[in-house]
Amino acid sequence: MIRTRFAPSPTGYLHIGGARTAIYDWLLAQQSGGKFILRIEDTDRNRFVPGSLDDIKESLQWLGLDWGEGPEVGGDFGPYFQSERLEIYHRYAQQLIDEGKAYYCYCTPERLQQVRQAQEGAKEQVGYDRHCRDGSPEAQEGMKRVIRFKTPLTGKTIVKDLLRGDLEFENSILEDLVLIKSDGFPTYHFANVIDDHFMKVTHVLRGEEWLPSTPIHVLLYQAFGWEHPEFVHLSIFLSPDGKGKLSKRHGATSVKEYRELGYLPEALFNFLLLLGWNPGNDQEVISKEEAIKMFSLARVNASPVRFATDKLNWYNGVYIRNLEPQDLARRCLPFLQKGGLLPDPCPAERFEYLVQLMPLVQERLKLLTDISGWIDFFLQEEIPVPARELLIPKKSDAATALKVLNTLLETIEGIPAAFQTADLEAALHPLPEKMGLKMGDVFMPLRVAVSGKTATPGMYEMLQALGKERVLRRIKAAIAILQ
Ligand code: GLU
């Protein structure tokens, strides 16, 4: 049975690279009836960022990546917070000490600093000089100490990576890594090996930045006589222009930011899925259910992949168009409430009205955050009176615009109050020809009068959704401006 784990540190919001790892982890587990585990690697007290743990959990849930073991849900191999597993780490560190495979190191930070400076001065490889490896001259009761791994000095270690093949590392270039720090917490490297072993993880997927540490992990597994999981080191993301590594200065990098920008989780999921994996054909829109069936590590690519924001935007449009109006309205609601256009909680009849508006904008909407700009004038009883210049089309003039609005007022007054689009069209469509004017000269002043904007949803649907009373009121206000 495949058991994957996503093992974030609560040192910041969930990164989109981490989200992609979690997606692949989740898919592997889902498709094999296995388990996707969430483990919180909270051993670095100095880098803890308040709020990040909640963000990680919320972002995973938002993407639909539910974990089968981990915080909240529990499981047979917990605890799932490393900070609650210290006793386990100490027990196994002690075992390595007893077997002569690890040692206490009493070197002070000052000494380590001096060693480093001397190495840099002599242009030597920097790293711990193994001062305490064969017994520490400084060792004294009560002194601060760490536990270090006795890395073999000779030989080679092979890391088998499912994407990258066998990678060979000379042991002589590896350091005697710290396993337990002086504060009693384990390092990432040690805790990671212990936990992956005892949590029976079969596949370790993570970013390629961890590749250089993997030979030490392999050596640790060997020191314990344990089999190690399969390793998969995923590529980095390149910036949208493909020129370098994706970073903050190229825009949003956390799931939270994408969510706040108005992306749908389906779109982000689909987009991240294809950043590094391909289905072997040209299918681009792939649902979660399809992905579970189609995903395989054999089609994951180890080379860096460009984070093409325009593609993500395209996906968002696709998924927005696929939603039922009710569902789209539900997702737009928080953005409208945030902008003060709808109350929170939203009364049922206001929500129903919102649902009716969705077909008007669904084709045009790219980001959920754009919704306010498209429908604010429907949700407001009164709109700011439009500027004169907007009411007068480019090649027209004030007198014509005024005449147009007066004619429209009269015509619209005669349309039955139900304001059906068919009635509106029948009454309004012939007007330009009747008046000897171009379409735009008639409909632009009307559009601006009722919405305050030059770009809106389709005319008849818009008027219908606004209702007769508001339309007449807004035309009158526009007439007053032009007079
Ligand atoms: N805690 C590590 C991180 O935040 C996990 C790396 C791994 O998956 O082994 O990236």
Side-chain angles (χ1 to χ4, degrees):
M1 179 164 92
I2 290 191
R3 290 175 58 84
T4 56
R5 89 309 191 259
F6 181 56
S9 304
T11 53
Y13 292 147
L14 180 61
H15 190 270
I16 39 177
R20 185 210 29 197
T21 305
I23 289 173
Y24 291 1
D25 277 328
W26 185 84
L27 288 172
L28 277 181
Q30 293 298 312
Q31 64 182 196
S32 62
K35 273 271 160 64
F36 170 59
I37 304 163
L38 176 61
R39 180 174 76 224
I40 306 300
E41 304 210 321
D42 56 347
T43 57
D44 195 341
R45 308 312 260 175
N46 302 324
R47 291 179 55 222
F48 178 75
V49 173
S52 58
L53 175 61
D54 285 339
D55 174 75
I56 289 166
K57 291 189 289 185
E58 273 166 32
S59 295
L60 289 174
Q61 276 160 348
W62 180 72
L63 282 168
L65 307 175
D66 294 319
W67 50 98
E69 283 176 33
E72 266 106 71
V73 300
D76 293 342
F77 304 92
Y80 294 92
F81 286 85
Q82 289 188 328
S83 58
E84 295 169 18
R85 302 172 61 81
L86 299 189
E87 189 264 326
I88 306 177
Y89 307 129
H90 287 177
R91 193 164 359 119
Y92 286 90
Q94 189 59 50
Q95 180 182 322
L96 290 183
I97 296 230
D98 294 345
E99 292 173 357
K101 294 172 181 165
Y103 60 94
Y104 290 112
C105 165
Y106 293 82
C107 293
T108 59
E110 294 73 37
R111 178 174 185 277
L112 295 177
Q113 168 92 18
Q114 280 163 13
V115 170
R116 194 186 179 87
Q117 277 168 357
Q119 287 164 337
E120 279 167 357
K123 300 225 170 352
E124 285 169 13
Q125 192 192 328
V126 295
Y128 180 57
D129 63 354
R130 302 192 158 107
H131 180 70
C132 299
R133 185 169 165 122
D134 302 307
S136 166
E138 285 90 358
Q140 262 177 50
E141 198 59 35
M143 267 177 81
K144 278 199 168 179
R145 62 185 191 183
V146 301
I147 298 178
R148 286 186 186 270
F149 185 50
K150 234 183 225 183
T151 309
L153 301 176
T154 55
K156 289 184 172 103
T157 298
I158 295 185
V159 172
K160 278 182 184 304
D161 181 285
L162 286 187
L163 305 186
R164 297 158 201 266
D166 289 0
L167 304 162
E168 226 179 62
F169 294 82
E170 293 288 341
N171 291 341
S172 58
I173 61 159
L174 304 175
E175 259 199 271
D176 282 4
L177 271 194
V178 174
L179 305 178
I180 305 280
K181 296 178 278 187
S182 60
D183 63 1
F185 278 85
T187 54
Y188 155 72
H189 305 287
F190 190 53
N192 182 270
V193 165
I194 299 287
D195 291 349
D196 285 341
H197 174 72
F198 286 107
M199 293 181 183
K200 299 195 185 316
V201 169
T202 59
H203 291 71
V204 166
L205 275 66
R206 60 186 169 204
E208 67 175 318
E209 68 273 19
W210 296 108
L211 195 51
S213 324
T214 310
I216 306 211
H217 302 174
V218 170
L219 287 167
L220 277 165
Y221 283 104
Q222 288 170 0
F224 284 113
W226 298 337
E227 244 177 72
H228 62 72
E230 302 279 11
F231 294 112
V232 179
H233 290 92
L234 299 168
S235 65
I236 56 159
F237 290 161
L238 297 178
S239 57
D241 64 13
K243 286 190 180 142
K245 212 175 150 199
L246 182 73
S247 75
K248 272 248 153 264
R249 83 198 142 83
H250 301 112
T253 50
S254 69
V255 171
K256 182 192 174 74
E257 286 169 288
Y258 282 96
R259 179 180 182 172
E260 286 172 351
L261 284 169
Y263 288 92
L264 298 182
E266 294 92 330
L268 192 59
F269 183 101
N270 195 152
F271 173 70
L272 290 173
L273 169 68
L274 284 150
L275 280 190
W277 171 81
N278 73 80
N281 56 34
D282 53 12
Q283 186 177 349
E284 291 191 299
V285 178
I286 302 176
S287 71
K288 230 179 232 149
E289 292 66 33
E290 288 174 300
I292 292 174
K293 293 202 194 95
M294 294 161 85
F295 184 77
S296 88
L297 287 174
R299 291 201 168 278
V300 174
N301 195 332
S303 31
V305 38
R306 195 169 68 84
F307 192 92
T309 317
D310 47 353
K311 193 76 200 188
L312 173 58
N313 293 344
W314 177 81
Y315 275 116
N316 214 47
V318 168
Y319 280 97
I320 283 180
R321 289 194 287 280
N322 282 347
L323 291 177
E324 292 298 323
Q326 179 91 13
D327 195 1
L328 180 56
R330 183 178 62 76
R331 296 178 196 230
C332 287
L333 182 60
F335 294 96
L336 295 164
Q337 288 171 322
K338 211 167 148 217
L341 285 165
L342 282 173
D344 185 7
C346 182
E349 75 278 3
R350 299 278 286 165
F351 184 74
E352 259 325 299
Y353 182 54
L354 181 62
V355 174
Q356 281 173 35
L357 296 177
M358 292 299 105
L360 277 62
V361 294
Q362 196 149 8
E363 288 292 324
R364 297 171 164 86
L365 205 57
K366 296 215 168 59
L367 297 174
L368 296 180
T369 32
D370 296 337
I371 189 64
S372 303
W374 281 108
I375 66 166
D376 51 358
F377 62 95
F378 290 104
L379 300 175
Q380 293 159 328
E381 228 3 75
E382 309 289 343
I383 55 167
V385 190
R388 251 180 95 86
E389 311 82 76
L390 277 188
L391 287 164
I392 308 169
K394 285 242 167 53
K395 284 184 191 139
S396 187
D397 53 70
T400 314
L402 192 58
K403 198 171 113 208
V404 161
L405 286 175
N406 275 312
T407 311
L408 282 162
L409 187 65
E410 213 174 287
T411 314
I412 291 173
E413 270 169 345
I415 298 174
F419 236 38
Q420 300 296 334
T421 47
D423 293 341
L424 284 158
E425 186 166 0
L428 299 182
H429 187 73
L431 276 191
E433 209 184 304
K434 268 196 217 157
M435 298 183 75
L437 291 170
K438 289 209 267 336
M439 295 279 279
D441 291 340
V442 174
F443 290 116
M444 191 48 90
L446 176 57
R447 183 181 308 276
V448 172
V450 300
S451 71
K453 303 172 202 287
T454 51
T456 66
M459 181 60 78
Y460 306 117
E461 290 75 15
M462 169 171 73
L463 296 176
Q464 197 253 326
L466 280 169
K468 186 166 178 177
E469 198 204 321
R470 275 198 289 183
V471 168
L472 291 176
R473 206 175 342 120
R474 289 180 188 183
I475 295 176
K476 284 179 196 157
I479 288 173
I481 291 291
L482 288 177
Q483 264 162 356

